[in-house]
Tab-separated table of all heavy atoms in Angstrom:
chain	number	residue	atom	x	y	z
A	19	LEU	N	158.770	-3.694	-16.819
A	19	LEU	CA	157.776	-3.800	-15.753
A	19	LEU	C	156.604	-4.632	-16.203
A	19	LEU	O	156.007	-4.321	-17.250
A	19	LEU	CB	157.314	-2.325	-15.375
A	19	LEU	CG	156.172	-2.225	-14.440
A	19	LEU	CD1	156.641	-2.722	-13.037
A	19	LEU	CD2	155.766	-0.827	-14.363
A	20	ARG	N	156.329	-5.715	-15.492
A	20	ARG	CA	155.225	-6.547	-15.784
A	20	ARG	C	153.999	-6.044	-15.051
A	20	ARG	O	154.033	-5.736	-13.871
A	20	ARG	CB	155.496	-7.976	-15.344
A	20	ARG	CG	154.382	-8.941	-15.760
A	20	ARG	CD	154.572	-10.325	-15.259
A	20	ARG	NE	153.508	-11.161	-15.630
A	20	ARG	CZ	152.219	-11.054	-15.333
A	20	ARG	NH1	151.838	-10.071	-14.501
A	20	ARG	NH2	151.337	-11.927	-15.703
A	21	LEU	N	152.877	-5.921	-15.792
A	21	LEU	CA	151.620	-5.477	-15.215
A	21	LEU	C	150.849	-6.666	-14.622
A	21	LEU	O	150.326	-7.477	-15.391
A	21	LEU	CB	150.787	-4.710	-16.266
A	21	LEU	CG	151.427	-3.492	-16.870
A	21	LEU	CD1	150.532	-2.831	-17.925
A	21	LEU	CD2	151.737	-2.486	-15.746
A	22	SER	N	150.824	-6.721	-13.369
A	22	SER	CA	150.219	-7.893	-12.669
A	22	SER	C	148.707	-7.912	-12.731
A	22	SER	O	148.037	-8.936	-12.483
A	22	SER	CB	150.654	-7.960	-11.217
A	22	SER	OG	150.265	-6.757	-10.555
A	23	ARG	N	148.032	-6.832	-13.190
A	23	ARG	CA	146.562	-6.796	-13.251
A	23	ARG	C	146.117	-7.651	-14.428
A	23	ARG	O	144.898	-8.068	-14.571
A	23	ARG	CB	146.016	-5.473	-13.346
A	23	ARG	CG	146.118	-4.753	-14.693
A	23	ARG	CD	145.534	-3.365	-14.673
A	23	ARG	NE	145.607	-2.886	-16.049
A	23	ARG	CZ	144.504	-2.284	-16.600
A	23	ARG	NH1	143.452	-2.147	-15.955
A	23	ARG	NH2	144.695	-1.874	-17.849
A	24	PHE	N	147.017	-7.991	-15.383
A	24	PHE	CA	146.670	-8.879	-16.455
A	24	PHE	C	147.056	-10.274	-16.118
A	24	PHE	O	148.030	-10.483	-15.370
A	24	PHE	CB	147.429	-8.427	-17.762
A	24	PHE	CG	146.919	-7.136	-18.367
A	24	PHE	CD1	147.450	-5.938	-17.981
A	24	PHE	CD2	145.886	-7.147	-19.258
A	24	PHE	CE1	147.018	-4.732	-18.479
A	24	PHE	CE2	145.407	-5.954	-19.767
A	24	PHE	CZ	145.951	-4.755	-19.428
A	25	PRO	N	146.444	-11.309	-16.750
A	25	PRO	CA	146.729	-12.701	-16.435
A	25	PRO	C	148.215	-12.923	-16.778
A	25	PRO	O	148.798	-12.391	-17.748
A	25	PRO	CB	145.834	-13.439	-17.339
A	25	PRO	CG	144.761	-12.563	-17.778
A	25	PRO	CD	145.322	-11.197	-17.708
A	26	GLU	N	148.852	-13.879	-16.054
A	26	GLU	CA	150.207	-14.262	-16.290
A	26	GLU	C	150.456	-14.759	-17.736
A	26	GLU	O	151.490	-14.510	-18.328
A	26	GLU	CB	150.620	-15.361	-15.313
A	26	GLU	CG	152.053	-15.786	-15.418
A	26	GLU	CD	152.851	-15.421	-14.189
A	26	GLU	OE1	152.268	-14.923	-13.244
A	26	GLU	OE2	154.065	-15.612	-14.279
A	27	ALA	N	149.522	-15.473	-18.318
A	27	ALA	CA	149.697	-16.024	-19.649
A	27	ALA	C	149.810	-14.927	-20.715
A	27	ALA	O	150.439	-15.123	-21.727
A	27	ALA	CB	148.523	-16.915	-20.029
A	28	ALA	N	149.191	-13.735	-20.458
A	28	ALA	CA	149.314	-12.662	-21.398
A	28	ALA	C	150.627	-11.942	-21.300
A	28	ALA	O	151.089	-11.419	-22.349
A	28	ALA	CB	148.111	-11.663	-21.159
A	29	ASN	N	151.268	-11.924	-20.187
A	29	ASN	CA	152.599	-11.319	-20.004
A	29	ASN	C	152.597	-9.889	-20.600
A	29	ASN	O	153.354	-9.559	-21.502
A	29	ASN	CB	153.710	-12.145	-20.603
A	29	ASN	CG	155.065	-11.591	-20.268
A	29	ASN	OD1	155.275	-11.114	-19.188
A	29	ASN	ND2	156.000	-11.791	-21.139
A	30	VAL	N	151.787	-9.025	-20.042
A	30	VAL	CA	151.660	-7.614	-20.448
A	30	VAL	C	152.703	-6.867	-19.693
A	30	VAL	O	152.826	-6.948	-18.489
A	30	VAL	CB	150.236	-7.062	-20.188
A	30	VAL	CG1	150.183	-5.575	-20.564
A	30	VAL	CG2	149.212	-7.830	-21.002
A	31	ILE	N	153.551	-6.144	-20.430
A	31	ILE	CA	154.639	-5.345	-19.850
A	31	ILE	C	154.589	-3.948	-20.390
A	31	ILE	O	153.924	-3.590	-21.311
A	31	ILE	CB	156.054	-5.985	-20.248
A	31	ILE	CG1	156.201	-5.979	-21.783
A	31	ILE	CG2	156.149	-7.373	-19.730
A	31	ILE	CD1	157.595	-6.292	-22.251
A	32	ILE	N	155.311	-3.094	-19.637
A	32	ILE	CA	155.634	-1.730	-20.060
A	32	ILE	C	157.173	-1.649	-20.186
A	32	ILE	O	157.919	-1.909	-19.241
A	32	ILE	CB	155.157	-0.673	-19.095
A	32	ILE	CG1	153.621	-0.663	-19.073
A	32	ILE	CG2	155.646	0.683	-19.409
A	32	ILE	CD1	152.981	0.265	-18.066
A	33	ASP	N	157.597	-1.302	-21.380
A	33	ASP	CA	159.001	-1.174	-21.687
A	33	ASP	C	159.151	-0.001	-22.587
A	33	ASP	O	158.583	-0.050	-23.703
A	33	ASP	CB	159.533	-2.472	-22.306
A	33	ASP	CG	161.068	-2.493	-22.534
A	33	ASP	OD1	161.579	-1.430	-22.692
A	33	ASP	OD2	161.643	-3.616	-22.445
A	34	PRO	N	159.935	1.016	-22.285
A	34	PRO	CA	160.014	2.179	-23.182
A	34	PRO	C	160.614	1.902	-24.526
A	34	PRO	O	160.428	2.649	-25.424
A	34	PRO	CB	160.903	3.190	-22.316
A	34	PRO	CG	161.541	2.390	-21.265
A	34	PRO	CD	160.705	1.171	-21.017
A	35	ARG	N	161.193	0.727	-24.697
A	35	ARG	CA	161.748	0.398	-25.990
A	35	ARG	C	160.622	-0.089	-26.959
A	35	ARG	O	160.856	-0.144	-28.128
A	35	ARG	CB	162.813	-0.688	-25.856
A	35	ARG	CG	164.016	-0.286	-25.030
A	35	ARG	CD	164.963	-1.424	-24.798
A	35	ARG	NE	164.198	-2.447	-24.014
A	35	ARG	CZ	164.662	-3.669	-23.821
A	35	ARG	NH1	165.845	-4.031	-24.347
A	35	ARG	NH2	163.985	-4.529	-23.060
A	36	PHE	N	159.506	-0.399	-26.477
A	36	PHE	CA	158.417	-1.005	-27.299
A	36	PHE	C	157.122	-0.196	-27.059
A	36	PHE	O	156.720	0.030	-25.958
A	36	PHE	CB	158.213	-2.451	-26.962
A	36	PHE	CG	159.403	-3.334	-27.051
A	36	PHE	CD1	160.037	-3.785	-25.918
A	36	PHE	CD2	159.985	-3.541	-28.252
A	36	PHE	CE1	161.184	-4.508	-25.925
A	36	PHE	CE2	161.138	-4.324	-28.354
A	36	PHE	CZ	161.726	-4.757	-27.141
A	37	GLY	N	156.377	0.090	-28.084
A	37	GLY	CA	155.139	0.747	-27.966
A	37	GLY	C	155.136	2.074	-27.282
A	37	GLY	O	154.176	2.499	-26.697
A	38	TRP	N	156.299	2.724	-27.350
A	38	TRP	CA	156.417	4.100	-26.721
A	38	TRP	C	156.032	4.087	-25.277
A	38	TRP	O	155.550	5.043	-24.774
A	38	TRP	CB	155.618	5.134	-27.521
A	38	TRP	CG	156.102	5.254	-28.890
A	38	TRP	CD1	157.245	5.883	-29.393
A	38	TRP	CD2	155.510	4.683	-30.048
A	38	TRP	NE1	157.351	5.719	-30.710
A	38	TRP	CE2	156.334	5.036	-31.183
A	38	TRP	CE3	154.413	3.889	-30.280
A	38	TRP	CZ2	156.030	4.578	-32.485
A	38	TRP	CZ3	154.060	3.489	-31.613
A	38	TRP	CH2	154.935	3.821	-32.646
A	39	GLY	N	156.321	3.004	-24.551
A	39	GLY	CA	156.024	2.937	-23.128
A	39	GLY	C	154.607	2.519	-22.808
A	39	GLY	O	154.204	2.436	-21.662
A	40	ALA	N	153.815	2.228	-23.803
A	40	ALA	CA	152.441	1.759	-23.587
A	40	ALA	C	152.483	0.304	-23.265
A	40	ALA	O	153.399	-0.399	-23.637
A	40	ALA	CB	151.579	2.017	-24.776
A	41	PRO	N	151.450	-0.236	-22.572
A	41	PRO	CA	151.407	-1.693	-22.311
A	41	PRO	C	151.431	-2.543	-23.610
A	41	PRO	O	150.691	-2.232	-24.533
A	41	PRO	CB	150.102	-1.906	-21.546
A	41	PRO	CG	149.761	-0.590	-20.987
A	41	PRO	CD	150.337	0.482	-21.989
A	42	VAL	N	152.314	-3.473	-23.671
A	42	VAL	CA	152.412	-4.379	-24.791
A	42	VAL	C	152.456	-5.881	-24.295
A	42	VAL	O	152.808	-6.102	-23.139
A	42	VAL	CB	153.682	-4.096	-25.614
A	42	VAL	CG1	153.643	-2.766	-26.275
A	42	VAL	CG2	154.945	-4.370	-24.871
A	43	LEU	N	152.213	-6.799	-25.172
A	43	LEU	CA	152.332	-8.165	-24.904
A	43	LEU	C	153.869	-8.507	-24.980
A	43	LEU	O	154.522	-8.134	-25.929
A	43	LEU	CB	151.587	-9.081	-25.867
A	43	LEU	CG	150.057	-8.893	-25.953
A	43	LEU	CD1	149.435	-9.821	-26.912
A	43	LEU	CD2	149.485	-9.144	-24.531
A	44	GLY	N	154.345	-9.151	-23.920
A	44	GLY	CA	155.765	-9.414	-23.812
A	44	GLY	C	156.393	-10.135	-24.982
A	44	GLY	O	157.449	-9.699	-25.495
A	45	ALA	N	155.769	-11.186	-25.492
A	45	ALA	CA	156.359	-12.002	-26.513
A	45	ALA	C	156.293	-11.327	-27.921
A	45	ALA	O	157.227	-11.340	-28.657
A	45	ALA	CB	155.679	-13.366	-26.574
A	46	SER	N	155.173	-10.721	-28.187
A	46	SER	CA	154.966	-10.209	-29.558
A	46	SER	C	155.151	-8.721	-29.668
A	46	SER	O	155.212	-8.191	-30.758
A	46	SER	CB	153.563	-10.586	-30.056
A	46	SER	OG	152.553	-9.900	-29.265
A	47	LYS	N	155.140	-8.004	-28.603
A	47	LYS	CA	155.261	-6.518	-28.496
A	47	LYS	C	154.070	-5.814	-29.152
A	47	LYS	O	154.204	-4.692	-29.531
A	47	LYS	CB	156.605	-6.055	-29.174
A	47	LYS	CG	157.804	-6.724	-28.617
A	47	LYS	CD	157.923	-6.678	-27.129
A	47	LYS	CE	159.229	-7.203	-26.588
A	47	LYS	NZ	159.173	-8.625	-26.187
A	48	VAL	N	152.915	-6.480	-29.248
A	48	VAL	CA	151.685	-5.891	-29.730
A	48	VAL	C	151.183	-5.029	-28.633
A	48	VAL	O	151.000	-5.496	-27.524
A	48	VAL	CB	150.700	-6.932	-30.221
A	48	VAL	CG1	149.397	-6.297	-30.534
A	48	VAL	CG2	151.225	-7.803	-31.320
A	49	ARG	N	150.771	-3.756	-28.970
A	49	ARG	CA	150.203	-2.926	-27.943
A	49	ARG	C	148.800	-3.386	-27.566
A	49	ARG	O	148.018	-3.774	-28.380
A	49	ARG	CB	150.089	-1.445	-28.493
A	49	ARG	CG	151.447	-0.765	-28.652
A	49	ARG	CD	151.321	0.654	-29.072
A	49	ARG	NE	150.123	0.970	-29.854
A	49	ARG	CZ	149.436	2.112	-29.710
A	49	ARG	NH1	149.831	3.055	-28.886
A	49	ARG	NH2	148.356	2.293	-30.413
A	50	VAL	N	148.482	-3.379	-26.258
A	50	VAL	CA	147.242	-3.754	-25.750
A	50	VAL	C	146.146	-2.850	-26.388
A	50	VAL	O	145.109	-3.344	-26.744
A	50	VAL	CB	147.211	-3.667	-24.228
A	50	VAL	CG1	145.808	-3.827	-23.664
A	50	VAL	CG2	148.124	-4.728	-23.645
A	51	ALA	N	146.443	-1.541	-26.502
A	51	ALA	CA	145.466	-0.645	-27.080
A	51	ALA	C	145.084	-1.008	-28.531
A	51	ALA	O	143.943	-0.837	-28.937
A	51	ALA	CB	146.066	0.814	-27.076
A	52	ASP	N	146.036	-1.541	-29.317
A	52	ASP	CA	145.728	-2.008	-30.635
A	52	ASP	C	144.731	-3.188	-30.682
A	52	ASP	O	143.819	-3.266	-31.498
A	52	ASP	CB	146.964	-2.406	-31.394
A	52	ASP	CG	147.866	-1.164	-31.649
A	52	ASP	OD1	147.370	-0.024	-31.672
A	52	ASP	OD2	149.087	-1.417	-31.864
A	53	LEU	N	144.923	-4.091	-29.722
A	53	LEU	CA	144.015	-5.215	-29.591
A	53	LEU	C	142.590	-4.724	-29.194
A	53	LEU	O	141.573	-5.118	-29.821
A	53	LEU	CB	144.465	-6.198	-28.532
A	53	LEU	CG	145.789	-6.881	-28.802
A	53	LEU	CD1	146.170	-7.781	-27.576
A	53	LEU	CD2	145.765	-7.695	-30.048
A	54	VAL	N	142.536	-3.837	-28.220
A	54	VAL	CA	141.281	-3.339	-27.781
A	54	VAL	C	140.585	-2.462	-28.894
A	54	VAL	O	139.385	-2.582	-29.110
A	54	VAL	CB	141.473	-2.423	-26.476
A	54	VAL	CG1	140.134	-1.766	-26.054
A	54	VAL	CG2	141.934	-3.341	-25.386
A	55	ASP	N	141.335	-1.627	-29.585
A	55	ASP	CA	140.715	-0.827	-30.675
A	55	ASP	C	140.120	-1.686	-31.722
A	55	ASP	O	139.026	-1.414	-32.242
A	55	ASP	CB	141.792	0.104	-31.256
A	55	ASP	CG	142.149	1.238	-30.307
A	55	ASP	OD1	141.472	1.443	-29.277
A	55	ASP	OD2	143.191	1.895	-30.567
A	56	LEU	N	140.864	-2.725	-32.141
A	56	LEU	CA	140.351	-3.563	-33.219
A	56	LEU	C	139.055	-4.342	-32.814
A	56	LEU	O	138.060	-4.404	-33.562
A	56	LEU	CB	141.367	-4.547	-33.628
A	56	LEU	CG	141.186	-5.434	-34.888
A	56	LEU	CD1	140.957	-4.455	-36.051
A	56	LEU	CD2	142.350	-6.291	-35.150
A	57	TRP	N	139.070	-4.761	-31.542
A	57	TRP	CA	137.911	-5.457	-30.999
A	57	TRP	C	136.697	-4.494	-30.868
A	57	TRP	O	135.608	-4.884	-31.274
A	57	TRP	CB	138.267	-6.092	-29.663
A	57	TRP	CG	137.119	-6.724	-28.944
A	57	TRP	CD1	136.485	-7.894	-29.317
A	57	TRP	CD2	136.517	-6.311	-27.783
A	57	TRP	NE1	135.497	-8.149	-28.423
A	57	TRP	CE2	135.496	-7.247	-27.486
A	57	TRP	CE3	136.717	-5.289	-26.890
A	57	TRP	CZ2	134.674	-7.080	-26.345
A	57	TRP	CZ3	135.921	-5.135	-25.789
A	57	TRP	CH2	134.864	-6.032	-25.552
A	58	ARG	N	136.959	-3.268	-30.385
A	58	ARG	CA	135.853	-2.287	-30.235
A	58	ARG	C	135.321	-1.888	-31.623
A	58	ARG	O	134.192	-1.444	-31.684
A	58	ARG	CB	136.324	-1.138	-29.456
A	58	ARG	CG	136.400	-1.417	-27.982
A	58	ARG	CD	136.637	-0.176	-27.175
A	58	ARG	NE	136.603	-0.499	-25.789
A	58	ARG	CZ	137.261	0.159	-24.852
A	58	ARG	NH1	137.994	1.272	-25.157
A	58	ARG	NH2	137.236	-0.148	-23.578
A	59	ALA	N	136.130	-1.942	-32.658
A	59	ALA	CA	135.706	-1.651	-34.021
A	59	ALA	C	134.759	-2.691	-34.588
A	59	ALA	O	134.279	-2.511	-35.682
A	59	ALA	CB	136.874	-1.431	-34.888
A	60	GLY	N	134.578	-3.856	-33.897
A	60	GLY	CA	133.676	-4.843	-34.292
A	60	GLY	C	134.306	-6.154	-34.719
A	60	GLY	O	133.600	-7.059	-35.084
A	61	GLU	N	135.589	-6.252	-34.655
A	61	GLU	CA	136.294	-7.494	-35.024
A	61	GLU	C	136.089	-8.525	-33.907
A	61	GLU	O	136.275	-8.198	-32.752
A	61	GLU	CB	137.788	-7.206	-35.234
A	61	GLU	CG	138.582	-8.362	-35.820
A	61	GLU	CD	138.272	-8.586	-37.249
A	61	GLU	OE1	137.967	-7.613	-37.988
A	61	GLU	OE2	138.332	-9.739	-37.679
A	62	PRO	N	135.716	-9.746	-34.273
A	62	PRO	CA	135.574	-10.736	-33.265
A	62	PRO	C	136.904	-11.141	-32.628
A	62	PRO	O	137.973	-10.855	-33.219
A	62	PRO	CB	134.975	-12.005	-33.961
A	62	PRO	CG	135.261	-11.700	-35.424
A	62	PRO	CD	135.421	-10.242	-35.582
A	63	ILE	N	136.898	-11.688	-31.410
A	63	ILE	CA	138.189	-11.994	-30.744
A	63	ILE	C	139.036	-12.931	-31.562
A	63	ILE	O	140.257	-12.749	-31.647
A	63	ILE	CB	137.855	-12.634	-29.335
A	63	ILE	CG1	137.252	-11.572	-28.447
A	63	ILE	CG2	139.116	-13.233	-28.741
A	63	ILE	CD1	136.761	-12.120	-27.113
A	64	ALA	N	138.457	-13.845	-32.198
A	64	ALA	CA	139.247	-14.774	-33.094
A	64	ALA	C	139.895	-14.013	-34.248
A	64	ALA	O	141.045	-14.322	-34.606
A	64	ALA	CB	138.327	-15.913	-33.646
A	65	GLY	N	139.213	-12.988	-34.789
A	65	GLY	CA	139.802	-12.158	-35.812
A	65	GLY	C	140.920	-11.327	-35.355
A	65	GLY	O	141.911	-11.244	-36.036
A	66	VAL	N	140.787	-10.827	-34.097
A	66	VAL	CA	141.935	-10.039	-33.544
A	66	VAL	C	143.076	-10.921	-33.318
A	66	VAL	O	144.260	-10.615	-33.674
A	66	VAL	CB	141.435	-9.389	-32.179
A	66	VAL	CG1	142.633	-8.737	-31.523
A	66	VAL	CG2	140.315	-8.441	-32.401
A	67	ALA	N	142.855	-12.176	-32.841
A	67	ALA	CA	143.945	-13.085	-32.668
A	67	ALA	C	144.704	-13.459	-33.930
A	67	ALA	O	145.888	-13.461	-33.994
A	67	ALA	CB	143.403	-14.378	-31.943
A	68	ARG	N	143.894	-13.666	-34.984
A	68	ARG	CA	144.491	-13.957	-36.288
A	68	ARG	C	145.258	-12.800	-36.856
A	68	ARG	O	146.387	-12.973	-37.420
A	68	ARG	CB	143.375	-14.358	-37.304
A	68	ARG	CG	142.996	-15.821	-37.335
A	68	ARG	CD	142.155	-16.101	-38.581
A	68	ARG	NE	141.007	-15.193	-38.750
A	68	ARG	CZ	139.817	-15.353	-38.184
A	68	ARG	NH1	139.602	-16.349	-37.289
A	68	ARG	NH2	138.859	-14.491	-38.403
A	69	GLU	N	144.780	-11.588	-36.736
A	69	GLU	CA	145.371	-10.454	-37.190
A	69	GLU	C	146.892	-10.246	-36.662
A	69	GLU	O	147.732	-9.836	-37.402
A	69	GLU	CB	144.629	-9.197	-36.840
A	69	GLU	CG	145.173	-7.903	-37.292
A	69	GLU	CD	145.011	-7.641	-38.829
A	69	GLU	OE1	144.100	-8.231	-39.388
A	69	GLU	OE2	145.864	-6.962	-39.369
A	70	TYR	N	146.999	-10.603	-35.392
A	70	TYR	CA	148.259	-10.440	-34.755
A	70	TYR	C	149.024	-11.759	-34.453
A	70	TYR	O	149.971	-11.770	-33.766
A	70	TYR	CB	148.139	-9.607	-33.440
A	70	TYR	CG	147.748	-8.211	-33.712
A	70	TYR	CD1	146.440	-7.777	-33.528
A	70	TYR	CD2	148.698	-7.269	-34.128
A	70	TYR	CE1	146.090	-6.450	-33.749
A	70	TYR	CE2	148.369	-5.961	-34.389
A	70	TYR	CZ	147.021	-5.541	-34.178
A	70	TYR	OH	146.701	-4.261	-34.478
A	71	ASP	N	148.527	-12.859	-35.009
A	71	ASP	CA	149.028	-14.177	-34.837
A	71	ASP	C	149.234	-14.511	-33.372
A	71	ASP	O	150.313	-14.866	-32.902
A	71	ASP	CB	150.387	-14.265	-35.610
A	71	ASP	CG	150.844	-15.679	-35.803
A	71	ASP	OD1	149.938	-16.592	-35.790
A	71	ASP	OD2	152.067	-15.934	-35.871
A	72	LEU	N	148.164	-14.330	-32.594
A	72	LEU	CA	148.177	-14.592	-31.116
A	72	LEU	C	147.200	-15.731	-30.885
A	72	LEU	O	146.228	-16.015	-31.610
A	72	LEU	CB	147.758	-13.333	-30.421
A	72	LEU	CG	148.673	-12.164	-30.573
A	72	LEU	CD1	148.035	-10.901	-29.978
A	72	LEU	CD2	150.036	-12.386	-29.922
A	73	ASP	N	147.395	-16.274	-29.602
A	73	ASP	CA	146.461	-17.325	-29.139
A	73	ASP	C	145.177	-16.595	-28.747
A	73	ASP	O	145.127	-15.554	-28.133
A	73	ASP	CB	147.144	-17.993	-27.924
A	73	ASP	CG	146.218	-19.054	-27.356
A	73	ASP	OD1	146.325	-20.210	-27.859
A	73	ASP	OD2	145.421	-18.759	-26.461
A	74	VAL	N	144.048	-17.172	-29.126
A	74	VAL	CA	142.697	-16.604	-28.873
A	74	VAL	C	142.515	-16.444	-27.381
A	74	VAL	O	141.971	-15.439	-26.917
A	74	VAL	CB	141.608	-17.561	-29.407
A	74	VAL	CG1	140.250	-17.041	-28.960
A	74	VAL	CG2	141.655	-17.600	-30.945
A	75	ASN	N	142.928	-17.365	-26.547
A	75	ASN	CA	142.835	-17.291	-25.087
A	75	ASN	C	143.545	-16.084	-24.510
A	75	ASN	O	143.068	-15.423	-23.610
A	75	ASN	CB	143.218	-18.572	-24.427
A	75	ASN	CG	142.292	-19.704	-24.754
A	75	ASN	OD1	141.095	-19.563	-25.006
A	75	ASN	ND2	142.923	-20.932	-24.940
A	76	VAL	N	144.743	-15.814	-25.066
A	76	VAL	CA	145.507	-14.652	-24.532
A	76	VAL	C	144.741	-13.386	-24.963
A	76	VAL	O	144.682	-12.511	-24.097
A	76	VAL	CB	146.966	-14.723	-25.187
A	76	VAL	CG1	147.673	-13.430	-24.952
A	76	VAL	CG2	147.725	-15.940	-24.623
A	77	VAL	N	144.297	-13.315	-26.191
A	77	VAL	CA	143.628	-12.109	-26.598
A	77	VAL	C	142.344	-11.881	-25.743
A	77	VAL	O	142.096	-10.757	-25.255
A	77	VAL	CB	143.229	-12.207	-28.067
A	77	VAL	CG1	142.271	-11.027	-28.451
A	77	VAL	CG2	144.513	-12.207	-28.960
A	78	GLU	N	141.642	-12.935	-25.461
A	78	GLU	CA	140.387	-12.895	-24.618
A	78	GLU	C	140.775	-12.382	-23.254
A	78	GLU	O	140.106	-11.475	-22.687
A	78	GLU	CB	139.652	-14.175	-24.620
A	78	GLU	CG	138.354	-14.046	-23.880
A	78	GLU	CD	137.558	-15.365	-23.948
A	78	GLU	OE1	137.997	-16.363	-24.574
A	78	GLU	OE2	136.419	-15.343	-23.311
A	79	ASP	N	141.806	-12.945	-22.683
A	79	ASP	CA	142.270	-12.518	-21.337
A	79	ASP	C	142.622	-11.020	-21.298
A	79	ASP	O	142.254	-10.286	-20.362
A	79	ASP	CB	143.377	-13.377	-20.787
A	79	ASP	CG	142.990	-14.736	-20.410
A	79	ASP	OD1	141.818	-14.976	-20.263
A	79	ASP	OD2	143.954	-15.603	-20.279
A	80	VAL	N	143.357	-10.589	-22.281
A	80	VAL	CA	143.792	-9.190	-22.366
A	80	VAL	C	142.573	-8.301	-22.488
A	80	VAL	O	142.478	-7.290	-21.742
A	80	VAL	CB	144.806	-8.962	-23.489
A	80	VAL	CG1	145.028	-7.515	-23.753
A	80	VAL	CG2	146.074	-9.635	-23.228
A	81	LEU	N	141.698	-8.649	-23.326
A	81	LEU	CA	140.426	-7.774	-23.562
A	81	LEU	C	139.592	-7.697	-22.305
A	81	LEU	O	139.049	-6.710	-22.015
A	81	LEU	CB	139.692	-8.336	-24.744
A	81	LEU	CG	140.321	-8.164	-26.113
A	81	LEU	CD1	139.483	-8.802	-27.208
A	81	LEU	CD2	140.632	-6.762	-26.454
A	82	ARG	N	139.474	-8.825	-21.612
A	82	ARG	CA	138.655	-8.846	-20.376
A	82	ARG	C	139.259	-7.884	-19.346
A	82	ARG	O	138.450	-7.220	-18.666
A	82	ARG	CB	138.682	-10.262	-19.770
A	82	ARG	CG	137.712	-11.209	-20.434
A	82	ARG	CD	137.743	-12.510	-19.688
A	82	ARG	NE	137.204	-13.612	-20.446
A	82	ARG	CZ	135.847	-13.926	-20.341
A	82	ARG	NH1	135.086	-13.229	-19.578
A	82	ARG	NH2	135.387	-14.860	-21.069
A	83	HIS	N	140.529	-7.776	-19.253
A	83	HIS	CA	141.190	-6.963	-18.250
A	83	HIS	C	141.408	-5.505	-18.715
A	83	HIS	O	141.446	-4.642	-17.859
A	83	HIS	CB	142.472	-7.595	-17.820
A	83	HIS	CG	142.318	-8.822	-16.976
A	83	HIS	ND1	142.048	-10.017	-17.538
A	83	HIS	CD2	142.183	-8.988	-15.630
A	83	HIS	CE1	141.901	-10.924	-16.546
A	83	HIS	NE2	142.025	-10.281	-15.384
A	84	ALA	N	141.480	-5.316	-19.995
A	84	ALA	CA	141.773	-3.993	-20.494
A	84	ALA	C	140.508	-3.160	-20.793
A	84	ALA	O	140.510	-1.931	-20.600
A	84	ALA	CB	142.527	-4.052	-21.813
A	85	ALA	N	139.391	-3.842	-21.103
A	85	ALA	CA	138.226	-3.113	-21.590
A	85	ALA	C	137.321	-2.842	-20.464
A	85	ALA	O	137.143	-2.916	-19.435
A	85	ALA	CB	137.484	-3.942	-22.561
């Protein structure tokens, strides 16, 4: 199931096979909550992107819609 409230470039999905059914990024299967938690802990967006080997723009889009 693709979550349309997130930008198309982020491709956020819910799939019970990944992240225990929590929203994840389609390509990398990184949980959205993990990105948000790391950012809320004080990590800059670029640092979050590096941590999960993601494009900075995708991380920024996800954080804007999730937070």
Side-chain angles (χ1 to χ4, degrees):
L19 173 65
R20 185 185 179 295
L21 297 180
S22 60
R23 75 179 188 134
F24 288 92
E26 182 112 6
N29 189 31
V30 176
I31 62 170
I32 293 179
D33 186 330
R35 297 175 296 169
F36 307 106
W38 300 282
V42 297
L43 297 180
S46 64
K47 308 306 185 265
V48 174
R49 290 184 333 141
V50 170
D52 293 337
L53 299 176
V54 172
D55 289 346
L56 191 57
W57 176 68
R58 285 189 175 153
E61 189 72 31
I63 292 173
V66 175
R68 272 193 310 276
E69 180 72 28
Y70 291 103
D71 196 27
L72 298 169
D73 182 87
V74 173
N75 295 323
V76 169
V77 172
E78 185 173 1
D79 286 345
V80 168
L81 292 175
R82 283 182 193 268
H83 288 85

